[in-house]
Amino acid sequence: TATTEIYTLSLHDALPISLVLTNVRASCGCTTPSWPKKPILPGEAGAIKVKYDTNRLGPFHKSITVSSNAKQVVLTIKGTVKQ
């Protein structure tokens, strides 16, 4: 049976303007991101949640591309799924 693990990637807006996440894209279909659709105000926090399908045993290394009004960054999650 398929199971999932959820990673929470915390964000803090240190910019003098609101941070708007325009798109968050995973490197494959076994990884599903969700992100705040509303702007993150200066000084406030938000989070990107990434769901990973742990049905695949062994090591994994996945990229999450985050596009915003500030810049584009690539984040990674990695680990090992054991029985």
Side-chain angles (χ1 to χ4, degrees), residues 33-79:
S34 63
W35 64 95
K37 305 303 189 260
K38 293 183 179 178
I40 300 169
L41 301 176
E44 296 201 359
I48 297 171
K49 294 190 182 216
V50 181
K51 189 185 323 181
Y52 176 70
D53 177 4
T54 58
N55 197 35
R56 303 164 193 229
L57 298 178
F60 67 91
H61 185 266
K62 303 297 175 185
S63 299
I64 295 90
T65 303
V66 180
S67 300
S68 73
N69 62 323
K71 65 179 182 177
Q72 181 173 304
V73 296
V74 178
L75 307 173
T76 59
I77 59 171
K78 62 182 179 177

